[in-house]
């Protein structure tokens, strides 16, 4: 049995899992699916084709799954929905919008922490264990890979891809793709590569060998001036070919990045 406050409004058609807690003033739309043990603390609005995974908690005044702000798509019947994974923490005043017909929907992975006043736009794909701090603003069609951390006030432009285990400093404006395993900072301006995310990588069990290999790739890109970037990557590839993280970094640059990786702090 779920614990539903008498002032909550659960529209006909909504599916509520076992042992959910739905607090005062919440509104749950007719196409919403809540997994087991989901908690809506109070005054939460969930609408559209939205599903929330088991053991997630949503704090007061969050608004999830409503129609996007994309002016090309203003017919609510065309919205492709929002899927939020398991064990997520969605804090106060967070807004996450439904996907449009341009994608299969907006997606948030498992174990994500999305903090106060953050916004995730339509058609974004957010991986597992991603942290978005207060006031992070993510525009439509952004992809964020697993374990990335976006610090307070970071602003991310449409169609940007942020690599896994990346760290973006507070108040950074992100207009280019962000390399995996890296720290980017802008402090009120355009975010640029600073160095590898050594502390974050150590916390996730990366070895010194792993970090040296990743650093070798990024040094070849940003500091080596002998030949083109393609030629430099081909040279460093021979050096790091047995390290999966370094090879993943090269794959990001060559295949996954669409908006380019920008420049580095040391190049300015």
């Amino acid at each position: 049995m779920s614990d539903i406050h008498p002032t909550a409004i659960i529209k006909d058609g909504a599916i509520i899992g076992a042992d959910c807690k739905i607090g005062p003033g919440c509104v749950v739309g007719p196409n919403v699916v809540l997994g087991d043990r989901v908690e809506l603390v109070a005054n939460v609005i969930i609408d559209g084709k939205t599903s929330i995974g088991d053991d997630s908690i949503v704090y007061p005044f969050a608004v999830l799954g409503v129609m996007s702000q994309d002016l090309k798509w203003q017919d609510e019947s065309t919205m492709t929905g929002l899927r939020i994974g398991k064990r997520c923490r969605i804090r106060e005043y967070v807004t996450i919008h439904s996907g449009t017909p341009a994608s299969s929907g907006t997606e948030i992975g498992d174990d994500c922490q999305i903090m106060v006043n953050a916004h995730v736009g339509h058609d974004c794909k957010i991986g597992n264990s991603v942290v978005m701090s207060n006031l992070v603003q993510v525009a439509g069609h952004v992809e964020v890979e697993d374990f990335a951390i976006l610090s307070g006030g970071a602003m991310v432009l449409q169609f940007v891809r942020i690599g896994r285990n990346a760290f973006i400093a507070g108040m950074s404006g992100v207009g280019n793709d962000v390399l995996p395993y890296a720290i980017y900072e802008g402090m009120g301006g355009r975010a640029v590569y600073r160095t590898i995310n050594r502390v974050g990588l150590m916390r996730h069990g990366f070895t010194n060998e792993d970090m040296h290999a990743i650093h070798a790739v990024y040094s070849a890109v940003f500091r080596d001036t002998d030949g083109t970037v393609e030629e430099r990557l081909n040279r460093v590839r021979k050096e790091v070919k047995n390290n999966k993280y370094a090879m993943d970094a090269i794959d990001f640059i060559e295949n996954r990045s669409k908006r380019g990786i920008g420049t580095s702090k040391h190049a300015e």
Side-chain angles (χ1 to χ4, degrees), residues 1-4 16-22 35-38:
M1 295 291 292
S2 292
D3 179 6
I4 301 176
I16 308 300
D19 301 314
C20 290
K21 295 180 180 179
I22 300 179
D36 296 341
R37 298 172 301 281
V38 169

Side-chain angles (χ1 to χ4, degrees), residues 8 31 66 76 117 166 187 193 196 202-203 206 213 223:
N31 298 308
V66 299
E76 200 159 348
N117 279 117
M187 297 305 292
Y193 171 81
I196 65 168
M202 289 174 61
R203 289 172 177 168
F206 284 63
R223 295 189 178 184

Side-chain angles (χ1 to χ4, degrees), residues 75-94:
D75 181 352
E76 200 159 348
S77 67
T78 67
M79 294 296 102
T80 51
L82 164 64
R83 292 177 291 281
I84 296 174
K86 299 178 180 179
R87 298 175 301 279
C88 289
R89 298 293 179 265
I90 311 296
R91 297 301 309 226
E92 297 87 346
Y93 294 98
V94 165

Side-chain angles (χ1 to χ4, degrees), residues 22-34:
I22 300 179
C26 293
V27 179
V28 179
N31 298 308
V32 171
V33 178
L34 302 183

Side-chain angles (χ1 to χ4, degrees), residues 109-131:
D110 297 336
D111 300 297
C112 291
Q113 172 96 326
I114 303 181
M115 299 185 191
V116 175
N117 279 117
H119 171 72
V120 179
H122 59 89
D123 305 295
C124 287
K125 309 296 181 187
I126 310 300
N128 298 318
S129 300
V130 170
V131 175

